[in-house]
């Protein structure tokens, strides 16, 4: 709570945060923008899809990441989407695709560079974003009529994601996301393959689509009990077998929420954030020189509280 209060204050009262920008006509078709302060010229952009077990996702969950990236001169768009039961996985993918389209076509008016857009997803958001990315690549191999293209994305970062639903049904059931509920979210057992990016990229028919994908970089903690790190390892293997540019960073002993929540709240060095920023900076040396002097983030929560939260967290 001490850390959340500070982040919430920033979220609701900072002039850098533009909340609930409308990107579509469906419920929850809104996104939050985190605008870097004191920078000139067009900024690189991160389109971020938050997690939440497909049920409790919310754009506000990206406030801490948005703040940290904005401090480094990177504009962040946190995309909200319909959750279950308001929508099922097909609706979520549709919403995220529409949000990405909005970012690609409108971000310049907010100071973002449409030539430097990166997609980031965390947990369920990593799964939804990966589905959206793969589906878009497949569409572009046919008669595509969408308003954005995968070539507009410089890279995709997947944080603690699950990419093969066939392997996760029983796992989630044991952890409390019961089979009947999960299958309802995923539009029935017959749709599990369709919404499993790892399975889809292995299909011979989509080989040409895989070649369109941007660089894919996956992050996962080895102590993740909610979404096993084997998910990212298997997805990496499937992508590399098809010739995609893909990398994986495993963090020893890190849980499902450590990378996205506890580590940023601890302050100090954030290895995953540094990896993301390094990729963006390598594409923009000017950004690197301008923001090398960003101060080390201060601790927001005492360590004993973080450890206690880790013990009681359902994730």
């Amino acid at each position: 709570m001490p850390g959340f209060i500070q982040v919430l204050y920033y979220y609701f009262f900072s002039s850098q945060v533009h909340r609930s920008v409308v990107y579509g006509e469906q419920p929850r078709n809104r996104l939050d923008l985190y605008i870097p302060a004191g920078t000139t010229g067009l900024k690189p952009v991160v389109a971020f899809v938050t997690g939440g077990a497909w049920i409790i996702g919310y754009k506000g969950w990206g406030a801490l990441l948005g703040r940290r990236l904005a401090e480094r001169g990177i504009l962040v768009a946190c995309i909200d989407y319909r959750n279950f039961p308001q929508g099922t996985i097909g609706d979520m993918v549709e919403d995220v695709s529409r949000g990405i389209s909005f970012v690609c076509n409108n971000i310049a008016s907010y100071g973002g560079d449409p030539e430097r857009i990166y997609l980031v997803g965390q947990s369920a958001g990593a799964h939804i974003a990966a589905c959206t990315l793969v589906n878009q690549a497949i569409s572009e191999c046919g008669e595509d009529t969408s308003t954005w293209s995968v070539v507009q994305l410089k890279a995709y970062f997947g944080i603690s994601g699950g990419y093969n639903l066939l392997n996760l049904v029983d796992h989630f059931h044991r952890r409390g996301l019961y089979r009947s509920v999960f299958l309802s979210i995923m539009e029935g057992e017959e749709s599990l393959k369709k919404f499993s990016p790892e399975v889809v990229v292995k299909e011979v028919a989509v080989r040409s689509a895989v070649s369109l994908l941007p660089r894919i970089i996956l992050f996962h903690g080895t102590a993740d009990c909610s979404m096993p790190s084997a998910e990212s390892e298997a997805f990496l293997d499937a992508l590399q077998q098809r010739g995609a540019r893909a990398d994986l960073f495993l963090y020893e002993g890190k849980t499902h929420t450590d990378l996205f929540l506890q580590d940023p709240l601890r302050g100090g060095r954030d290895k995953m954030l540094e990896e993301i920023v390094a990729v963006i900076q390598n594409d923009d040396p000017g950004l690197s020189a301008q923001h090398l002097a960003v101060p080390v983030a201060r601790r927001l929560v005492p360590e004993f509280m973080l450890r206690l939260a880790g013990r009681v967290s359902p994730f």
Side-chain angles (χ1 to χ4, degrees):
M1 187 58 69
F4 288 163
I5 290 173
Q6 296 173 72
V7 175
L8 284 171
Y9 184 85
Y10 168 81
Y11 180 68
F12 284 108
F13 297 106
S14 173
S15 61
Q16 293 177 250
V17 183
H18 297 198
R19 290 181 286 114
S20 295
V21 176
V22 177
Y23 71 78
E25 298 178 352
Q26 294 295 329
R28 299 190 65 168
N29 279 187
R30 306 288 187 272
L31 56 81
D32 294 331
L33 296 173
Y34 297 80
I35 312 293
T39 59
T40 58
L42 296 178
K43 276 79 68 176
V45 179
V46 161
F48 179 56
V49 186
T50 65
W54 303 273
I55 298 172
I56 58 170
Y58 179 59
K59 57 187 174 60
W61 303 161
L64 189 53
L65 179 68
R67 180 179 183 175
R68 294 288 181 252
L69 290 175
E71 289 172 346
R72 289 158 176 79
I74 300 166
L75 192 156
V76 180
C78 288
I79 300 170
D80 210 359
Y81 53 89
R82 285 170 284 178
N83 283 205
F84 184 80
Q86 191 175 32
T88 56
I89 183 62
D91 300 315
M92 300 175 202
V93 171
E94 178 185 312
D95 287 351
V96 169
S97 181
R98 188 177 290 114
I100 295 171
S101 175
F102 179 90
V103 171
C104 289
N105 292 291
N106 297 278
I107 204 64
S109 62
Y110 297 94
D113 189 345
E115 300 297 322
R116 292 181 293 164
I117 299 175
Y118 301 80
L119 180 62
V120 179
Q122 188 264 339
S123 188
H127 167 253
I128 297 168
C131 286
T132 305
L133 191 62
V134 172
N135 287 357
Q136 180 63 25
I138 293 172
S139 296
E140 290 179 24
C141 291
E143 296 182 5
D144 178 49
T145 58
S146 62
T147 54
W148 69 281
S149 171
V150 290
V151 300
Q152 293 176 272
L153 303 179
K154 302 279 285 184
Y156 165 64
F157 302 93
I159 305 169
S160 307
Y163 308 100
N164 188 337
L165 301 182
L166 298 171
N167 295 337
L168 292 172
V169 179
D170 292 334
H171 172 76
F172 287 149
H173 183 80
R174 290 191 296 269
R175 292 191 60 81
L177 181 53
Y178 299 123
R179 174 184 290 269
S180 59
V181 177
F182 185 67
L183 292 180
S184 295
I185 296 171
M186 297 304 162
E187 302 176 1
E189 194 162 1
E190 65 279 2
S191 295
L192 293 180
K193 289 184 178 180
K194 174 184 175 184
F195 293 108
S196 295
E198 179 199 328
V199 176
V200 174
V201 299
K202 290 179 179 179
E203 297 176 0
V204 175
V206 303
R207 184 184 295 271
S208 57
V210 175
S211 67
L212 299 178
L213 295 174
R215 182 185 177 189
I216 293 176
I217 303 162
L218 307 175
F219 304 101
H220 223 119
T222 60
D224 190 334
C225 297
S226 296
M227 204 82 81
S229 59
E231 283 291 304
S232 287
E233 294 178 84
F235 190 34
L236 173 77
D237 186 56
L239 288 165
Q240 290 182 337
Q241 285 184 17
R242 290 302 185 195
R245 295 168 294 158
D247 297 286
L248 170 63
F249 292 88
L250 290 175
Y251 296 89
E252 193 67 33
K254 296 293 184 180
T255 67
H256 189 65
T257 55
D258 273 332
L259 299 179
F260 181 68
L261 187 58
Q262 283 98 312
D263 284 354
L265 289 173
R266 282 188 173 95
R269 289 192 60 189
D270 185 333
K271 293 183 179 180
M272 187 191 73
L273 181 68
E274 289 177 358
E275 294 292 350
I276 294 174
V277 172
V279 171
I280 298 174
Q281 288 179 342
N282 286 339
D283 292 333
D284 182 3
L287 176 75
S288 177
Q290 187 177 0
H291 290 87
L292 283 176
V294 173
V296 175
R298 64 183 180 84
R299 176 182 284 274
L300 298 179
V301 180
E303 185 64 25
F304 82 92
M305 286 187 174
L306 289 174
R307 293 185 180 276
L308 177 62
R311 288 183 176 276
V312 300
S313 169
F315 301 105

